[in-house]
Each structure stands twice: as C-alpha cells, then as structure tokens.
Amino acid sequence: MTLLLTVFAAVASTLVWYCSERARTLKAGILCYLFWGASLMWLVDAIFEYADQRAQYFMPSGADMINDAFLGLAVIALGMVIWVAALLVSDPCGVVKKTWQGEAAREEENGCHDA
C-alpha cells in the first residue's frame, strides 16, 4: 500500500511539474524527487519482503494494510512539509520578503520599530 500511494503521488507531482510553468517556478521538482525516491525505497522493500515471504506477501491482514496506508499517507505528508519548507526558504516569488517588508513598513508607521 505504501508503494502504491507513493507511486500515485510521484506520478501526480510529475504531471503537475511537467504541465505547469508555475509549478516549476514553485519548485514542484522537489516533490518529484521526494516521491520518486520514496517509491524506489518501497519497491526495494517490497522485493526483499517478497523474497522472504513468497506467496504470503500477497495476503496481508487488514491491520497490515491499514498500517501501510497510514505510513504511506504520513510519507506523503512529510514530503509536502519538506516542500513547503524549501519553498519558504527559497521564496521564488518573493512573497515572504514582501510580507516581512510590509510588516517593517507598518511597524515604522505605527512607531513600533525598535532600530
């Protein structure tokens, strides 16, 4: 289930990155790298787990499937958090800088500026 979820996330992020110039500006490529890397990791995990369990690999319990689904969703959420952090640090559109400058200008207008 983790492999399936991360592959879907990787394909979706790749399509968005490929089709949208704005997505490339907003560094959607980072998501592609994160999700394709996670997909590769889960693929290797699945290969080794299959080598160990053989036919049992294809008959997981319901609890195992739910745990795998939650793990896959957690990996996707973590990838999104990393992307947002990278986006805020690089600030490709200057939004964070404009916000900070706007705050400084408002502080100066209100007399709240310490320096």
Side-chain angles (χ1 to χ4, degrees), residues 1 7 20 93:
M1 188 64 92
V7 167
S20 172
C93 297

Side-chain angles (χ1 to χ4, degrees), residues 5-6 9 12 28 31 36 41 45 62-63 65 67 74 77 90 92 95 105:
L5 288 171
T6 54
L31 283 176
W36 281 115
M41 177 186 71
D45 179 59
M65 289 186 68
N67 286 338
S90 67
V95 174

Side-chain angles (χ1 to χ4, degrees), residues 61-82:
S61 68
D64 287 342
M65 289 186 68
I66 290 173
N67 286 338
D68 282 352
F70 280 131
L71 181 59
L73 292 173
V75 166
I76 291 170
L78 181 62
M80 298 293 285
V81 167
I82 291 169

Side-chain angles (χ1 to χ4, degrees), residues 9-47:
V11 169
S13 64
T14 302
L15 288 174
V16 168
W17 171 82
Y18 185 77
C19 294
S20 172
E21 181 66 36
R22 179 139 173 90
R24 288 189 288 280
T25 302
L26 295 176
K27 302 192 179 292
I30 292 172
L31 283 176
C32 296
Y33 289 129
L34 289 171
F35 293 148
W36 281 115
S39 298
L40 181 62
M41 177 186 71
W42 295 124
L43 177 64
V44 170
D45 179 59
I47 290 169

